[in-house]
Amino acid sequence: MAKEYDPRMHSAEHALSGVLIRRYGCPRCFSTHINANKSKVDFRFPHDLSAEEAASIAAEVNDVIKADLPIVAREMPREEAARIFNLTRLPESAGDTLRIVYIGDPGKPETVLDSCPCIGEHVAHTGECGEFIWVSHEWKPGEEGQDGVLRIRFKLGK
């Protein structure tokens, strides 16, 4: 992994994605820049967020972190994963067996906040992430009839 990579940030990105998907039903982020100091993620999203919505999302991500949920990786055949997950961003070179990362216990699906194919390093439990700090967000409208792009920048406290 790159020198600037921080598994805490990557795990927090999964928590943020899980919260946004659960709240708004949006697709998972399509672009990420995970850095040790500050990260940004882009989502296809239908509207801008109010300051209250942003604060509420950040609070929910912090609740996930405080819940100290396990972060678990399991292998899954590509064919099975293709029925469950969007694999368009995954290269064919990823192989016939994919690594699926779960926030929550995959043995208890009701506890899973997020799950997706992922090759990145993660912490063992969300509590290791530290405080999620919402730095900023911006929204750019999409073309007629299409969702815009919501970019969220965040960092983590120690």
Side-chain angles (χ1 to χ4, degrees):
M1 291 285 146
K3 177 171 99 170
E4 294 290 316
Y5 184 82
D6 183 349
R8 298 177 325 123
M9 283 289 224
H10 193 158
S11 299
E13 177 268 313
H14 279 256
L16 173 62
S17 290
V19 167
L20 283 170
I21 292 165
R22 183 168 55 192
R23 274 189 177 211
Y24 297 100
C26 63
R28 67 178 315 104
C29 58
F30 67 89
S31 175
T32 61
H33 181 77
I34 305 299
N35 190 298
N37 297 320
K38 186 168 58 173
S39 295
K40 64 182 175 185
V41 292
D42 294 335
F43 295 87
R44 299 279 177 218
F45 209 75
H47 61 83
D48 197 1
L49 295 175
S50 69
E52 294 79 15
E53 285 175 302
S56 178
I57 293 165
E60 189 171 344
V61 172
N62 277 311
D63 288 345
V64 168
I65 290 169
K66 289 175 192 163
D68 202 27
L69 299 173
I71 300 178
V72 179
R74 296 277 190 266
E75 291 188 345
M76 182 181 289
R78 180 187 278 271
E79 186 176 294
E80 181 182 348
R83 290 191 297 269
I84 301 168
F85 303 102
N86 179 346
L87 303 182
T88 56
R89 290 184 56 203
L90 197 66
E92 283 298 320
S93 63
D96 293 331
T97 302
L98 303 180
R99 181 174 172 259
I100 309 300
V101 172
Y102 299 84
I103 292 186
D105 181 350
K108 299 177 185 171
E110 69 279 4
T111 72
V112 174
L113 170 73
D114 185 59
S115 60
C116 70
C118 182
I119 62 169
E121 293 178 30
H122 294 274
V123 295
H125 291 86
T126 58
E128 297 173 50
C129 290
E131 181 187 11
F132 179 89
I133 301 166
W134 187 287
V135 173
S136 66
H137 72 276
E138 61 185 273
W139 182 76
K140 294 180 182 172
E143 299 292 321
E144 185 69 30
Q146 295 182 352
D147 284 345
V149 174
L150 175 65
R151 173 168 287 172
I152 299 171
R153 291 177 182 84
F154 67 93
K155 61 184 180 178
L156 296 174
K158 298 294 175 190

